[in-house]
Every structure is written in structure tokens, then in C-alpha cells.
Amino acid sequence: MTTAHDGHDAGVLASSSSTAPTSSTHPPASTRSTRALVAEAVRRARVDLAEAWAAPLVRQGFVAMVLIALGAFSPAFVAEDAPLYQQPFFAHLLSEPARFAATAILLVGLLRLFDVWLRLRPTPGRPTAPVAAWAWWSLPIACVPPLFSRDAYSYAAQGLVVSRGMDPYRTGPIAVPGPFADQVDPIWLYTPAPYGPLALQVQRLVVDLTGGDALLSAIAMRVPALLAVGVIAYALPRLAERMGVSRDQAVWLGVLNPLVLMHLVGGMHNDAVMIALVVVGLLLASDGRWVAGSIAVAAGAGFKQTAVLALVGVAGLAYRHARGLRGEAPLLSRVDQWSYVRQAAKVGLVAFAAFTGLTVLTGMGWGWIANLGVPGSILSLLAPFSMLGAGIAALLAQVGVPAGYADGAIQISQTVGLVGVLVGLAWITWVLAPRRPVAAAAWALLVFTFGGPTVYPWYVLWGLILLGATSTHRRVVQVMCVVVGWLIAYSMLDLSVVNGAGMLGIAAVAWGAVNLLRRRGELGTPMPPVIAGDADSGAPDEHESDQADDGADAARARVGVVSRFLVRI
């Protein structure tokens, strides 16, 4: 496994600063220190990448992602009237044989990726893959069109709207007719932007830097997404360690998760940056820097407003740090509630002030408030309460109930879900947050996701990624594996139907379900050991240090020739 090398960084900084020459012909000490740090970071990255590539399952995951990349230019992801298909080579991809072949390649890639991920599940004595594996897996799809969603085309159109001086909170992509609007899903063509002000300014920047090319602008939206996943890969394992949780759990559940590759990297959603800033905010708060943590979460809300739910975690971490407590505590442990409430109020005020300041600096205003209902304007097939209401409405229609009354069942069911969300958030804020702050942030986002009227696969990642940094029961992990499998199956069916190969998609889903059932015993094994929060400073004990050293020695032995080669180039 890779290591943090934090002490080594400090040594490099200290040595380079102390040995910097004073001659005017040499760069100043600060410059040499910066250069040394950059050189060390590059060297470490090469070693980490070599270590990851040395793992056979990482290479198998890379092959799976190559297959997904090969199918990325099919009509499942690119509109049939897109200018791309006017080129002779790509025009052949519209034929039925090409659609069928692309669907088969995509399905094999997704099934293989899911299987590799399940086999990488860490257990006591068996670590997962090095965290740098995410970079290898992202490489094949780095420059392909948006995958599993056409939201990136909407981002590009909204960026052009802002670039032309129009208000994206009052007009939709239809305001920029032509190549940009033509790529947008017709469902969202006339809807104004529901996103935060920072997201829109980043979208404008990407459009401006790509010279106003519609397809290139959409693909370039992957740059912020890749940077965000890189931040998650750096910060989440460190947050897990501070919570007394194995970093292997964080890497496996929150970084190497197939949904991260499919939707944050492949689909390049704004959610990637939002999640990254939330993780950074929680990491800062775990070190007592709750003001900076609150600002980071507020910045995350500038991309996706649901980030504010993670403030319960920042408040809980700030409270625990102020009282000298580390990690997480049992639910029955004593809490000074009013001290916690005062700290939570401070966190809320700082976050609100930061978000207000960012809104003023971007010049975008508060128009997003009126557009918060845009994602829920269509019936979501993945939202439990929406589908429950739709099922009841269908039954009522079958027995002769007028359509107006039958459709009311959907609204009633969604209202019940929202009431459940409010009750759940109240319990999480009052009971869970001061004892298990990161778990509180994760479950607040998950409760909001599954209790709300609209669910998309990438919404689940809001809380699922954070679960990697908190003590999670093995039964919960089993359920999450099933959820991940179901969301992958949903995407497989969706792309198969669009490509006219629905039966192939059904067969692939059946195969994946059988594979998941075969592995149910493995998924029930315990996760790596957890260090008690209040009884421990958060540092691993001697036995764990020995295991870490043994693992590091084994990893160095595996890297061998590949590592030396990459370090030299």
C-alpha cells in the first residue's frame, strides 16, 4: 500500500531550506524548497503509479476501463444527430451491428470492473489496491465523450450562457442555439441552471479556455472532475485514519468504487468537486481547523447546494476537538449538548458568511433558489418514495380511480419521504453528529438522497464516499455493495435500450446478479480493524505498525523493475 510520506515531506522542506545557498547567482531558499517539494511529489507519484500497476487486479481493472472507453462513442452516450457522426469513420457506429458490438463491449467492461472491485474488498490481513489505481483506471476514459449522462453538455451550454453575459438562472441552454444547445438532453433544454455560483463560473472558464468548441468544452469538463477525484483520493484515507478507520476501507469504498469511475470521472458531474470540498472540510475540522473546514464545505455548496448537510459533521468534529476527543464515540456516550449547539451555530454562521461572500464575488446572485426543483421535474425511477407513489397510482388507475386522484398518490408518497428526511436529519444532527461526526455527514446525505423525490446514480456517492472514512458495519457494507451493483445494472439496462440491444442488457444484468450472489460470503467478512476513537490518539498501535511495515516491504518487492523504470524517466 502507498504511504503518506508526510514526515519525508517535512524533511525535504527543512533540508532544502537550511542548505539553500546565499549567493545571488542561485535561486532563493524558498524557490529551492518549492522545487524540491515538486520534484519529490513527482517522484512519489511515479513510485505510487508503479506500485499500483504491479497489482494484477489493477491491470484487470484498467482493461475493463479500456473496454468502456471503446464503447464510449456509441449512440448510448452521443446524440445521433451530433456533428461527430458526420465524419465517415464515426458514421459507421450508427449501424445496428456497430451498436450491438459497442453495447457488448461496454457491458463486458462494466461487469469486469464490478467484479474486480468486489475482489479488491479489504479484509483483516488483506489490503486493497494502492490508491493510485484510480489514476490508471481513469486514464482510458480521460478524453472520451461524457459517459452515462449528458449533463456535461448542459454544463457546456450553461458556461456559454454565462460567457455571453446572460443570466443562467433565468434562461436555459436554448438561449445559445447551435452546436452547444444541440447536444443538450431535450429534457433540460428549456430549464434554467439549478447549480451554485461557483459551478457556473467554472463552466464558463472551461468554455472560454476551449475556444468555444461544443464537444471539446463538454469533454474538458472532465478536468475539474479528475482534479476533484484526485483530492478525494488524497484526503479521504487521511480522514479515515483520523477517525480510527483503516485507510484500505476508505480507498476501496470511496475511491476505487465503480460508481466513482462511471459517474464522477466518466460523467464528470459537479458532484465530484462538491464531494471533494466536503471531504477536505471534514479533514480540516478533524484537525481543529473548523473555520477553514466550514469555508470548504460552503465552497462545495457553491457547486451543489446539498453540501450544506455535511456541516453537521464539521460541527461534530469541532465540538469533539475542542473537548480533546479523537475519532468517534459510541452512541451512548455522554455529550454536552448545549456546548455542541453553540459550536454548531458558529459553524453555520461561518459557512453562511463564506457562501454569501463567494456569491458576491462570482456575481451570479441567488437565482438558483427558485430553480432547486429543476432536477425533480421528472419522475425518478431510482427514488424509492417516488416509485412507491407511482406504483400506488398505477394500481388505483387499474381499479377505475380518476387520473387526477390517482396521480395524487405520487405527491403524498413524496411528502411522506420528505417528512422522513426531516425526522432523520433531526436525529442525525442531535444524536449522531457530536459522537460520530463523519458518519453523521454521510448518513445525512444518504437519508436526503433516498428520502427525496429524485435520485440519480451519482447522488448516492454523496454519502457513500464518506462511509469509507467512518466505522461501518459489515452488513451495511454488504448492502452498499448491492446498491452499487443495482446502480451499475441500471446503467447497463439504460445504455442497452438506447443502443437497441435491450435483451443483451438483461442478460448482462442477470450474469452480474449471479456473480454477486456467488460472492455474498466474501462480502460478509469483517472489514479491516478499527481503532477505538476516544481511547486512542488515532495513531496505529505497534502491531498495526508492524503489519504496515510488512505490507510496505511486500509492496516494494512487487514494484521492482517497473518502479525503477518510472523513476528514471
Side-chain angles (χ1 to χ4, degrees):
M1 292 295 298
T2 55
T3 54
H5 302 282
D6 293 331
H8 190 61
D9 280 346
V12 171
L13 178 59
S15 62
S16 57
S17 298
S18 60
T19 59
T22 56
S23 171
S24 59
T25 60
H26 292 82
S30 59
T31 303
R32 289 177 61 87
S33 298
T34 302
R35 289 178 179 175
L37 287 173
V38 171
E40 174 63 13
V42 172
R43 187 196 67 81
R44 280 169 42 200
R46 289 173 174 169
V47 172
D48 290 345
L49 288 170
E51 179 185 353
W53 187 254
L57 285 176
V58 172
R59 296 195 296 271
Q60 293 180 32
F62 178 83
V63 172
M65 295 304 297
V66 169
L67 294 176
I68 294 173
L70 291 176
F73 294 89
S74 76
F77 305 129
V78 181
E80 293 188 29
D81 57 352
L84 180 70
Y85 293 129
Q86 295 176 5
Q87 302 177 27
F89 175 79
F90 291 105
H92 295 294
L93 297 179
L94 294 175
S95 65
E96 288 189 16
R99 286 172 177 245
F100 186 88
T103 303
I105 291 172
L106 284 164
L107 295 177
V108 171
L110 289 170
L111 288 171
R112 192 68 190 128
L113 180 64
F114 184 49
D115 181 68
V116 167
W117 180 67
L118 292 178
R119 293 166 64 187
L120 284 172
R121 183 186 187 277
T123 58
R126 189 186 72 184
T128 189
V131 68
W134 82 269
W136 285 114
W137 291 359
S138 300
L139 185 61
I141 61 172
C143 297
V144 303
L147 300 174
F148 306 104
S149 168
R150 291 169 64 180
D151 280 7
Y153 298 117
S154 294
Y155 298 166
Q158 290 162 358
L160 185 61
V161 168
V162 177
S163 182
R164 291 184 176 178
M166 294 180 280
D167 186 354
Y169 293 137
R170 291 182 177 272
T171 185
I174 192 63
V176 286
F180 279 84
D182 291 344
Q183 299 183 103
V184 176
D185 192 313
I187 296 175
W188 311 118
L189 195 55
Y190 295 90
T191 57
Y195 307 114
L198 286 180
L200 293 170
Q201 287 294 355
V202 169
Q203 291 162 9
R204 176 198 63 79
L205 178 63
V206 170
V207 171
D208 290 346
L209 291 177
T210 51
D213 183 275
L215 180 59
L216 184 58
S217 295
I219 295 176
M221 295 294 168
R222 191 167 280 123
V223 174
L226 285 169
L227 293 174
V229 175
V231 171
I232 295 171
Y234 173 86
L236 191 69
R238 287 163 172 77
L239 178 62
E241 289 177 336
R242 283 160 175 75
M243 295 300 103
V245 176
S246 166
R247 63 185 288 125
D248 279 335
Q249 174 182 306
V251 170
W252 178 73
L253 194 58
V255 180
L256 303 183
N257 195 306
L259 298 181
V260 172
L261 278 299
M262 292 169 59
H263 299 293
L264 297 191
V265 178
M268 56 195 97
H269 294 281
N270 287 329
D271 310 64
V273 182
M274 182 268 276
I275 296 170
L277 289 169
V278 164
V279 174
V280 169
L282 293 173
L283 180 61
L284 290 169
S286 71
D287 288 336
R289 292 175 285 178
W290 64 267
V291 173
S294 302
I295 294 173
V297 174
F303 285 84
K304 206 86 175 236
Q305 296 85 343
T306 45
V308 299
L309 295 174
L311 288 174
V312 297
V314 175
L317 288 167
Y319 162 79
R320 293 183 63 76
H321 190 276
R323 299 182 69 85
L325 304 174
R326 299 292 184 92
E328 299 180 320
L331 289 180
L332 298 180
S333 59
R334 297 183 61 182
V335 170
D336 184 348
Q337 293 290 163
W338 293 113
S339 176
Y340 162 68
V341 168
R342 288 193 296 270
Q343 185 62 61
K346 295 177 184 177
V347 168
L349 288 173
V350 170
F352 178 76
F355 186 86
T356 301
L358 291 172
T359 300
V360 172
L361 288 174
T362 58
M364 300 304 301
W366 300 81
W368 55 267
I369 296 177
N371 302 335
L372 287 177
V374 168
S377 58
I378 60 173
L379 186 64
S380 174
L381 296 176
L382 295 175
F385 286 94
S386 294
M387 290 312 299
L388 175 63
I392 295 174
L395 291 175
L396 293 176
Q398 289 295 320
V399 298
V401 176
Y405 293 100
D407 291 343
I410 299 177
Q411 297 179 354
I412 294 174
S413 181
Q414 290 176 341
T415 301
V416 171
L418 291 175
V419 171
V421 168
L422 293 177
V423 173
L425 291 179
W427 182 85
I428 289 169
T429 302
W430 187 254
V431 177
L432 190 60
R435 296 169 175 86
R436 300 187 59 200
V438 176
W443 285 109
L445 291 163
L446 287 172
V447 166
F448 181 82
T449 298
F450 288 108
T454 304
V455 177
Y456 293 104
W458 49 95
Y459 286 13
V460 179
L461 289 171
W462 300 344
L464 180 58
I465 288 177
L466 293 181
L467 280 184
T470 183
S471 177
T472 305
H473 193 274
R474 61 189 178 89
R475 297 298 183 190
V476 176
V477 175
Q478 281 183 301
V479 171
M480 289 303 163
C481 288
V482 174
V483 170
V484 170
W486 160 240
L487 294 176
I488 293 175
Y490 175 84
S491 296
M492 289 196 297
L493 290 173
D494 183 51
L495 71 90
S496 300
V497 170
V498 173
N499 272 347
M503 294 305 297
L504 191 60
I506 294 174
V509 169
W511 180 273
V514 170
N515 183 43
L516 186 60
L517 286 174
R518 284 195 298 111
R519 296 189 178 279
R520 66 184 183 276
E522 301 175 19
L523 299 179
T525 56
M527 296 292 282
V530 178
I531 306 167
D534 292 338
D536 199 285
S537 64
D541 60 24
E542 183 177 352
H543 175 64
E544 288 170 328
S545 298
D546 291 341
Q547 286 184 332
D549 291 340
D550 292 342
D553 291 340
R556 285 191 289 269
R558 289 195 306 269
V559 172
V561 177
V562 181
S563 176
R564 290 193 295 271
F565 172 74
L566 284 176
V567 170
R568 289 173 182 172
I569 63 174

